[in-house]
Amino acid sequence: MPLGSHTLDEATQLVELGEGWHAGATHAAYANMAGPFGGVTAAALLRAVLVDPRQAGDPIALTVNFCGAIADGDFEIETKLRRSGKITQHWSMELKQQGVVCTTASAVCGARKPVWSHYPIKAPSAPPRGVLHEMSKDARPQWTRRYSFRFVEGGLDNYPRSDGLIHSARTVAYIQDEPERPLDFVSLAALSDAFFVRIMHARGTFQPMATISLTTYFHVGANELDTIGATPLLGEADAAIFHNGFADQSCALWTLDGRLVANGVQITWYKE
Amino acid sequence: MPLGSHTLDEATQLVELGEGWHAGATHAAYANMAGPFGGVTAAALLRAVLVDPRQAGDPIALTVNFCGAIADGDFEIETKLRRSGKITQHWSMELKQQGVVCTTASAVCGARKPVWSHYPIKAPSAPPRGVLHEMSKDARPQWTRRYSFRFVEGGLDNYPRSDGLIHSARTVAYIQDEPERPLDFVSLAALSDAFFVRIMHARGTFQPMATISLTTYFHVGANELDTIGATPLLGEADAAIFHNGFADQSCALWTLDGRLVANGVQITWYKE
């Protein structure tokens, strides 16, 4: 399919209102329990940088702070280039609705060079994707239907659980845009938030929870993504701690031949 | 020692110029190769939030983007409360010198509650601190003298190395303010950047390198830190990937009885 015609592109479409100022809107296809899936918000904020004529280099880092609920409907994104140097560009972004800040974010773009590289951490081992079953989307929010999820471990077939046991917080899963779409930084930004909040896996309870802040590092250049194209990724997510209402979460995404393309962390809130 | 008289407090001292507007200055004791140690900059940016009369709750997340070199001398920090709700506060900060943005940052504060907690990831195993030797500070930047480093694995005794081999990127080490200082969020923010850039360990080369962006999550409340007091922490740092000039880095800090107090990630740049 041609780039631009995918649902993710519709959901992150921006209209320029001025320099560093874009209009966008939430999209029903990426709706979560309350407001949009955080990954699509992260993707729209990154897109606001990528479409800016001042943008140079590849995205290296993206931090998105989810300050408050985003209502269904229009939003505006303000993008400020705070510092630009030979190696890096630093951007600050804000998403507002009716003048109220809903999301703040920062992005770093960088000039990659073909210098010494080294890949010490390897992808988790996993059976071939073809032998795994698709996660059922029944009774799940709309955004989950925009992805294929095939769990290697730490699935959500039995959620919420009534066994009262604490399970592992770790998930290994194949994940891909559905329908498939060539990977780019916009889709990677969304994918980096596509793992479920870890308390769902560890505790199995259905309760108020939310991602508060999300940080993603990109480990590929645009030219490499062009070569990678559309592919499922093997992803790993885990959590180290759930303490007094806040829990961390890590995420890593590999190509099927074991190339780490993005990783990062998020901090989540849970009510009780 | 009374709080406020430690070198770290001197180095992060701020003078209020107006609401959300503070003056500070670099401190020779925390000098790095070029400009200040990133951790002390992170600590000053967090302090600008903590001293703000509008601040509520405990710091949960801190992201610091190092946009350009900070010259020795004065700086100003602008602090904006972008959104405040029942559970979280979202802050945006900028450190400037002569009107030029050197560092951007964001912080989230949150209201912790004594709800369900769970600690799935355990501290690495390590021999008692007393049997390990102190890292030599000879020929190292000033800031390293502000910390005690005792390496369990992945030390820097032989750096730069001439063996031409690639070593593990992982370090386990005891680390503490020197002289000792009761732990608080300011010192934790600095400690979260006190592990050396991983390329020094993995590759052993001496070359231009820098932290580009740092994200730290705090997993303790202020009341818990009061109880913890002054103590060495057991820390772990690692890297998953060094690719075309940018490398990631993870960090986790535990008390000696195995309580994770902070963890996070950073993305670093290296020249060749």
Side-chain angles (χ1 to χ4, degrees), chain B residues 118-133:
Chain B
H118 173 48
Y119 309 89
I121 303 286
K122 305 303 177 195
S125 58
R129 181 171 178 266
V131 306
L132 301 166
H133 72 273

Side-chain angles (χ1 to χ4, degrees), chain A residues 34-250:
Chain A
F37 162 52
V40 81
T41 303
L45 284 156
L46 184 60
R47 189 184 282 283
V49 170
L50 294 172
V51 299
D52 194 293
R54 297 166 292 176
Q55 194 272 336
D58 290 317
I60 302 290
L62 175 68
T63 291
V64 180
N65 301 297
F66 301 95
C67 308
I70 298 175
D72 292 341
D74 297 339
F75 56 75
E76 293 186 5
I77 295 177
E78 290 176 18
T79 314
K80 290 182 180 170
L81 178 55
R82 302 309 289 145
R83 183 82 181 251
S84 194
K86 212 164 58 177
I87 298 160
T88 54
Q89 270 190 341
H90 286 265
W91 296 83
S92 295
M93 300 89 85
E94 288 191 344
L95 184 152
K96 294 181 184 176
Q97 287 188 311
Q98 278 87 48
V100 176
V101 175
C102 301
T103 323
T104 66
S106 59
V108 184
C109 298
R112 291 193 175 276
K113 292 191 176 177
V115 294
W116 180 81
S117 295
H118 173 47
Y119 309 88
I121 303 287
K122 306 303 177 195
S125 60
R129 181 172 179 267
V131 306
L132 301 165
H133 73 271
E134 275 291 320
M135 181 186 78
S136 164
K137 313 295 169 53
D138 297 344
R140 297 206 197 274
Q142 277 299 318
W143 73 269
T144 63
R145 295 160 206 264
R146 308 287 87 74
Y147 291 99
S148 157
F149 295 94
R150 296 194 185 191
F151 290 101
V152 175
E153 66 171 86
L156 275 187
D157 280 344
N158 300 306
Y159 175 81
R161 295 195 308 266
S162 52
D163 61 9
L165 300 175
I166 297 176
H167 291 214
S168 170
R170 184 169 182 260
T171 287
V172 176
Y174 291 98
I175 186 166
Q176 184 172 20
D177 285 291
E178 191 166 281
E180 67 173 37
R181 176 184 181 282
L183 281 177
D184 61 7
F185 295 109
V186 169
S187 62
L188 276 179
L191 282 160
S192 74
D193 193 37
F195 286 90
F196 296 87
V197 177
R198 294 295 96 193
I199 199 172
M200 294 171 66
H201 297 267
R203 200 177 178 197
T205 48
F206 182 71
Q207 59 164 302
M209 60 185 91
T211 297
I212 299 294
S213 183
L214 170 74
T215 289
T216 302
Y217 298 148
F218 302 101
H219 300 298
V220 280
N223 56 337
E224 296 172 282
L225 283 173
D226 287 347
T227 304
I228 291 170
T231 178
L233 295 175
L234 182 62
E236 187 179 16
D238 206 349
I241 188 166
F242 302 78
H243 181 63
N244 286 357
F246 296 91
D248 74 333
Q249 182 161 336
S250 60

Side-chain angles (χ1 to χ4, degrees), chain A residues 60-61 63 65-69 80 82-83 85 87-88 90-92 94 96 100-104 106-122 166-167 169 199 202-203 207 212-215 217-221 224 238-249 259-261 263-267 269-272, chain B residues 60-61 63 65-69 80 82-83 85 87-88 90-92 94 96 100-104 106-122 166-167 169 199 202-203 207 212-215 217-221 224 238-249 259-261 263-267 269-272:
Chain A
I60 302 290
T63 291
N65 301 297
F66 301 95
C67 308
K80 290 182 180 170
R82 302 309 289 145
R83 183 82 181 251
I87 298 160
T88 54
H90 286 265
W91 296 83
S92 295
E94 288 191 344
K96 294 181 184 176
V100 176
V101 175
C102 301
T103 323
T104 66
S106 59
V108 184
C109 298
R112 291 193 175 276
K113 292 191 176 177
V115 294
W116 180 81
S117 295
H118 173 47
Y119 309 88
I121 303 287
K122 306 303 177 195
I166 297 176
H167 291 214
I199 199 172
R203 200 177 178 197
Q207 59 164 302
I212 299 294
S213 183
L214 170 74
T215 289
Y217 298 148
F218 302 101
H219 300 298
V220 280
E224 296 172 282
D238 206 349
I241 188 166
F242 302 78
H243 181 63
N244 286 357
F246 296 91
D248 74 333
Q249 182 161 336
R259 177 70 166 75
L260 181 67
V261 291
N263 63 5
V265 290
Q266 61 179 264
I267 189 97
W269 164 81
Y270 58 95
K271 188 168 186 184
E272 57 201 26
Chain B
I60 302 290
T63 291
N65 301 296
F66 300 96
C67 307
K80 290 182 181 169
R82 302 309 289 147
R83 184 83 181 251
I87 298 160
T88 56
H90 285 265
W91 297 83
S92 296
E94 289 192 342
K96 295 181 185 179
V100 176
V101 176
C102 300
T103 322
T104 66
S106 59
V108 184
C109 297
R112 291 193 176 276
K113 293 193 177 174
V115 295
W116 180 81
S117 295
H118 173 48
Y119 309 89
I121 303 286
K122 305 303 177 195
I166 297 176
H167 291 214
I199 197 172
R203 199 177 177 197
Q207 59 164 302
I212 300 293
S213 183
L214 171 74
T215 289
Y217 298 147
F218 303 101
H219 300 297
V220 279
E224 296 173 282
D238 206 348
I241 187 167
F242 302 79
H243 181 63
N244 286 357
F246 296 91
D248 75 332
Q249 181 160 336
R259 178 69 167 76
L260 181 67
V261 291
N263 64 3
V265 290
Q266 60 178 265
I267 188 97
W269 164 82
Y270 59 96
K271 189 171 186 181
E272 57 202 22

Side-chain angles (χ1 to χ4, degrees), chain B residues 22 24 54 58 70 104 112 124 135 138 188 220 241 260 264 268:
Chain B
H22 288 88
R54 298 167 290 176
D58 291 315
I70 297 174
T104 66
R112 291 193 176 276
M135 181 185 80
D138 297 346
L188 276 179
V220 279
I241 187 167
L260 181 67
T268 65

Side-chain angles (χ1 to χ4, degrees), chain B residues 41 47 64 70 73 84-85 98 111 126 136 160 193 199 228 272:
Chain B
T41 303
R47 190 184 281 284
V64 180
I70 297 174
S84 196
Q98 278 85 50
S136 164
D193 193 36
I199 197 172
I228 291 170
E272 57 202 22

